[in-house]
Amino acid sequence: MKLILSITASVAFSAHVFAQNTEALFKKIVDSTYNAHPEMIGLIVDVESPDHKISWSYAVGKNGKDNQQPIDPAQPLLIASTTKPYMAAAILRLVENGTLSIDTPIKNLLSAKTLKVLSDDGYDVEKINLRHLLSHTAGINDYVTENYFSFITTHKTYNWTRDEQIALAGKEKKVGEPGTVFRYADINYVLISEIIEQKTGKPFYEALRNLLNYKKLGIKNTWFIQLEKKPETSLPLVNQYWRQFDWQIKDLNPSWDLYGGGGIASNVKEMAQFFQMLFTGKVIKDPKVLQLMYTDVPPNLEINYCLGIRKIKSGGMMAYNHGGGLGTDAIYIPEINASISSASVEAGKRNIAVEVSSLLAAKLKSLKGSK
């Protein structure tokens, strides 16, 4: 018995040392990248690798423009379009429980008011289906245009409604016929938020929380900004900045990016943990339904956008990914069963945060089989 206990303790100690050494390598990668790109203002990352018993968050840099305060890696931030995988997963939960079919026409899913807006603009609501919305192949043009950004710059506190954004999209010329063209557009996911409400009878953010079972998953610091109360356990939001528009994000009314195309606030750890649990069957239990999320949807094969996620290469491996315009990114890499999330405080430098994730993924791959 003493020998068994001794061996167990030795194995546990070796695993602990391995994790510590690995995390030191991760820190070196993040620090060196940030030092080469201080224009990021700050860089936050999280690595979830259960096979290596690693759950590691780290931040370097400053908490905002002209701010000398360091970032706490547990601080939440607005994840913008990284919200879309959460929305897609909620829809697939409704598919899983038999409430929806992925090929249901939106004529049977949206309110009469919204259907009129789309129909009046020439969209065939009998041909556009749920799969088209999730994969951005509905042919609907977006309300997010240069004029939209210009308006936000001069009306930072304007409180947008979902109906206003749908109406704006209705004024734009349609991109093409459903299923024949890919055009990434927030309007698709704004419509999805309404569909969730129509099918559940609850506000979409409340329905999403229940469908994804945040409580059971242990997700405590993820919420829809402005629509839900900030969790008591959450730290203050990161002071995100977008140099392109000279936006201090905290100065904007978050309604500009709130109704499903974006809107979630979370920290990097919960982002990575959600991706890890989602793609390992903890959220959507039926593997055939989960597979829909990463099955190719023509004609968008050039950028490999499926249902709420893209398929990309990270660290030389295929990965499921989504990023957000405010500097956030999250990936799950099946080959090594690991998830990595990253965020740049300066929104325009998300590409560098993505590069960091790829470097960390490659490091994890090199450690595969060694524990």
Side-chain angles (χ1 to χ4, degrees), residues 87-106 108-110 129-131 133-134 191-200 211 289 292:
M87 297 293 290
I91 287 290
L92 290 178
R93 282 284 294 115
L94 290 171
V95 171
E96 184 178 38
N97 67 26
T99 301
L100 282 174
S101 166
I102 202 73
D103 295 311
T104 302
I106 62 172
N108 303 320
L109 300 174
L110 291 165
N129 62 36
L130 195 48
R131 190 192 303 266
L133 294 181
L134 289 166
L191 295 175
I192 284 168
S193 74
E194 185 179 300
I195 289 170
I196 291 173
E197 292 184 350
Q198 292 288 312
K199 300 307 291 188
T200 65
L211 286 166
V289 176
L292 291 171

Side-chain angles (χ1 to χ4, degrees), residues 127 156 209:
K127 288 185 178 180
K156 290 184 171 66
R209 179 176 293 278

Side-chain angles (χ1 to χ4, degrees), residues 267-333:
N267 58 33
V268 290
K269 181 167 289 297
E270 289 200 356
M271 284 166 57
Q273 288 177 336
F274 177 75
F275 264 56
Q276 186 70 27
M277 291 185 285
L278 173 60
F279 291 108
T280 54
K282 305 295 192 305
V283 179
I284 300 165
K285 305 292 177 60
D286 186 334
K288 291 182 180 178
V289 176
L290 179 58
Q291 188 176 8
L292 291 171
M293 197 164 193
Y294 50 85
T295 298
D296 294 333
V297 182
N300 60 357
L301 303 183
E302 289 186 10
I303 72 160
N304 295 317
Y305 199 101
C306 302
L307 304 186
I309 63 106
R310 290 179 62 207
K311 289 191 288 193
I312 66 167
K313 288 286 186 179
S314 183
M317 298 168 285
M318 190 275 290
Y320 306 141
N321 157 269
H322 212 294
L326 293 181
T328 62
D329 196 80
I331 58 171
Y332 172 73
I333 308 138

Side-chain angles (χ1 to χ4, degrees), residues 214-247:
Y214 281 4
K215 188 174 182 179
K216 185 176 180 181
L217 296 179
I219 295 176
K220 300 177 180 179
N221 298 290
T222 298
W223 76 103
F224 268 89
I225 195 77
Q226 187 167 286
L227 299 176
E228 297 182 285
K229 186 178 179 181
K230 179 176 177 288
E232 293 181 1
T233 56
S234 288
L235 296 174
L237 287 168
V238 173
N239 291 308
Q240 292 161 280
Y241 177 66
W242 201 341
R243 191 181 307 277
Q244 179 181 352
F245 303 104
D246 194 24
W247 287 354

Side-chain angles (χ1 to χ4, degrees), residues 114-125:
T114 296
L115 289 172
K116 186 177 187 307
V117 170
L118 296 173
S119 296
D120 287 351
D121 198 45
Y123 293 105
D124 190 335
V125 295

